[in-house]
Amino acid sequence: MNSNKLRIAVRKYDPFESAIEKIWNKFKQDTACPLELEFEAFDLHTLYAEIIVKNGLKNGEWDLTFINTDWITEAVQNGHIENLKDYIESSSPDDYPQGWSPSLIEMQTFDGGVFGFPMHNGPECLIFRKDLFESSSEKEEFKKRYGKNLEVPSSWEEFIQIAEFFQRPKEGLYGTIFAAYPDGHNTVFDFCLQVWTRGGELIADDGKITLNSKAAIEGMKYYRAALINSEMIHPKSRDFDSVQSGMAFANGEIAMMVNWFGFASMCEVYEDSKVKGKVDIAYVPAGKGGEGISLNAYWLYALGTGSKHKQIAYDFMRYAISTENDKLMTLEGGIGCRKSTWKDSEINQLAPYFHKLEELHKNTKALPRMDDWAKVGDIIDKLVLDVINSETDIEEILNNAQQKYNEL
């Protein structure tokens, strides 16, 4: 380990990588920091292995990391990341915590301690091509075919019908895409959304996870039908994670999708985007008895307990979440977390739906804070893969998954 370097483990994503370099260069210039930056970008599984499994934050391999809220409980309870409370009391970030939505402060707060600063957010939502939905010829054809007006879907049933309407593989356009790549995240998020938007709950009254509820059964029946419906789905749904799905949307291949808000705004700043100025967002569709609830998961800067440069690392984190740099992260293609960024006139000129983030955050649910959530996530990932890759009875699959969870 080089003592002259500040080492950061970063989630592999071009906007994150370009933003962190620009913010560091500004920090170095403004503070005369004696260290050099060294960062490495990893995909999700590898990042988790680097910082948690291999104890990279404990042993000083990494001073700082990008960490998502799925892993935060495990990281805190097993001593991987530093409590920032004393640092904050000594030198607080500007307008902290009032400058952020409460939904971006809660997940990293444990027993009065603070274990990270929000750096990228954006709940799941419906992202759609407004140019298609506003087209007079598309409206006319839809009315002719279905006898009703073409409108942004608010139910999962409408979602299927509209996706089938826009399915035009010969034109390189597909109705929708689901990020069904088995990485322990996308499939898990889809499972939760299918449950929640049908009025179901992931956690029962006794505090235990429920995987075989009526809402889960209905949701997985829908999900299976959608993934095998070649009349509505992008053919690479099973191979693409959320980032690749977002890139396909930016490439003009998708009419609408449920994905992270960040992939909507990326369409406005990504140089090769083919849908710049043609995008809008809405709530996630809902099933009977449910509502369009968004899933809230976000990325944090966190300080490793084994870092030899803790004060400098904290100073950099504090600098990176300033009003100016939160906006910079957004302009690079990430999603800033400050309310000031969401309301910023330049940002909303670039992406006219950015101000909707505050409203989205008022109706979100988060994954449970459990130190063994990674294991639970693996069970859910496996059950979803069984759902979409087999013809086994859905209830049987969910009951088996419930049994595996009970044995944890």
Side-chain angles (χ1 to χ4, degrees), residues 30-167:
D30 290 351
T31 64
C33 173
L35 303 180
E36 295 301 322
L37 171 70
E38 184 171 90
F39 77 83
E40 196 169 340
F42 302 99
D43 62 25
L44 282 169
H45 274 308
T46 316
L47 179 60
Y48 176 79
E50 279 291 324
I51 64 176
I52 305 290
V53 179
K54 296 179 183 176
N55 292 310
L57 294 168
K58 279 186 184 178
N59 64 26
E61 178 71 21
W62 303 103
D63 298 290
L64 287 173
T65 189
F66 288 20
I67 186 169
N68 69 46
T69 47
D70 296 8
W71 310 331
I72 194 73
T73 305
E74 181 180 2
V76 169
Q77 295 192 356
N78 293 325
H80 294 281
I81 54 179
E82 193 80 9
N83 186 348
L84 305 177
K85 186 180 179 184
D86 291 344
Y87 292 95
I88 293 169
E89 287 176 358
S90 173
S91 180
S92 174
D94 294 339
D95 201 24
Y96 183 87
Q98 303 89 326
W100 288 261
S101 167
S103 57
L104 293 175
I105 298 295
E106 294 161 357
M107 295 286 283
Q108 64 272 25
T109 304
F110 294 81
D111 300 323
V114 178
F115 291 85
F117 289 142
M119 52 79 55
H120 169 85
N121 86 107
E124 292 225 43
C125 58
L126 180 68
I127 304 171
F128 63 92
R129 288 271 302 275
K130 67 178 181 181
D131 61 318
L132 294 176
F133 279 85
E134 292 171 0
S135 162
S136 55
S137 59
E138 297 290 1
K139 286 180 178 180
E140 190 179 327
E141 178 59 30
F142 189 85
K143 184 78 177 270
K144 187 174 154 186
R145 196 182 302 183
Y146 299 105
K148 59 182 180 180
N149 293 333
L150 174 60
E151 294 176 346
V152 177
S154 59
S155 75
W156 286 117
E157 286 69 29
E158 292 168 350
F159 184 83
I160 286 181
Q161 188 176 65
I162 295 168
E164 289 178 344
F165 174 70
F166 283 120
Q167 185 78 350

Side-chain angles (χ1 to χ4, degrees), residues 354-384:
F354 223 91
H355 64 280
K356 295 181 182 179
L357 263 174
E358 191 162 12
E359 194 61 35
L360 278 179
H361 269 281
K362 291 176 182 174
N363 193 28
T364 63
K365 282 181 179 282
L367 297 177
R369 298 209 305 181
M370 302 166 63
D371 59 2
D372 61 350
W373 176 254
K375 293 177 183 174
V376 178
D378 286 341
I379 292 173
I380 296 175
D381 192 41
K382 173 73 165 55
L383 87 79
V384 176

Side-chain angles (χ1 to χ4, degrees), residues 93-330:
D94 294 339
D95 201 24
Y96 183 87
Q98 303 89 326
W100 288 261
S101 167
S103 57
L104 293 175
I105 298 295
E106 294 161 357
M107 295 286 283
Q108 64 272 25
T109 304
F110 294 81
D111 300 323
V114 178
F115 291 85
F117 289 142
M119 52 79 55
H120 169 85
N121 86 107
E124 292 225 43
C125 58
L126 180 68
I127 304 171
F128 63 92
R129 288 271 302 275
K130 67 178 181 181
D131 61 318
L132 294 176
F133 279 85
E134 292 171 0
S135 162
S136 55
S137 59
E138 297 290 1
K139 286 180 178 180
E140 190 179 327
E141 178 59 30
F142 189 85
K143 184 78 177 270
K144 187 174 154 186
R145 196 182 302 183
Y146 299 105
K148 59 182 180 180
N149 293 333
L150 174 60
E151 294 176 346
V152 177
S154 59
S155 75
W156 286 117
E157 286 69 29
E158 292 168 350
F159 184 83
I160 286 181
Q161 188 176 65
I162 295 168
E164 289 178 344
F165 174 70
F166 283 120
Q167 185 78 350
R168 300 160 196 178
K170 288 180 181 175
E171 299 173 26
L173 178 68
Y174 299 90
T176 193
I177 190 166
F178 287 93
Y181 180 75
D183 63 2
H185 288 267
N186 302 297
T187 48
V188 175
F189 297 145
D190 278 350
F191 176 83
C192 294
L193 279 176
Q194 288 295 330
V195 171
W196 290 334
T197 56
R198 287 176 162 77
E201 292 293 342
L202 198 58
I203 300 183
D205 293 338
D206 60 4
K208 292 182 179 174
I209 299 285
T210 303
L211 300 176
N212 56 355
S213 65
K214 182 185 174 189
I217 293 166
E218 289 175 0
M220 287 301 95
K221 284 180 179 177
Y222 177 92
Y223 199 69
R224 173 183 277 178
L227 264 293
I228 62 173
N229 187 348
S230 60
E231 298 300 311
M232 65 175 270
I233 200 90
H234 191 290
K236 292 196 173 177
S237 281
R238 294 164 189 265
D239 305 319
F240 281 1
D241 63 10
S242 58
V243 173
Q244 291 165 310
S245 301
M247 294 304 290
F249 187 91
N251 196 39
E253 299 172 28
I254 317 290
M256 59 180 182
M257 65 177 180
V258 173
N259 208 330
W260 303 104
F261 178 93
F263 296 117
S265 67
M266 183 191 74
C267 292
E268 315 300 345
V269 298
Y270 173 51
E271 192 176 330
D272 296 327
S273 171
K274 294 178 181 173
V275 293
K276 202 171 291 188
K278 300 176 180 178
V279 179
D280 205 348
I281 66 152
Y283 282 114
V284 175
K288 280 184 183 174
E291 59 176 333
I293 289 169
S294 290
L295 189 149
N296 183 32
Y298 52 97
W299 286 89
L300 302 153
Y301 293 107
L303 173 55
T305 50
S307 171
K308 301 293 189 290
H309 307 293
K310 286 181 182 173
Q311 186 61 54
I312 291 176
Y314 173 78
D315 290 341
F316 176 67
M317 281 197 298
R318 179 175 171 272
Y319 185 87
I321 63 165
S322 69
T323 303
E324 182 184 352
N325 289 322
D326 192 70
K327 181 176 175 179
L328 187 154
M329 170 64 76
T330 307

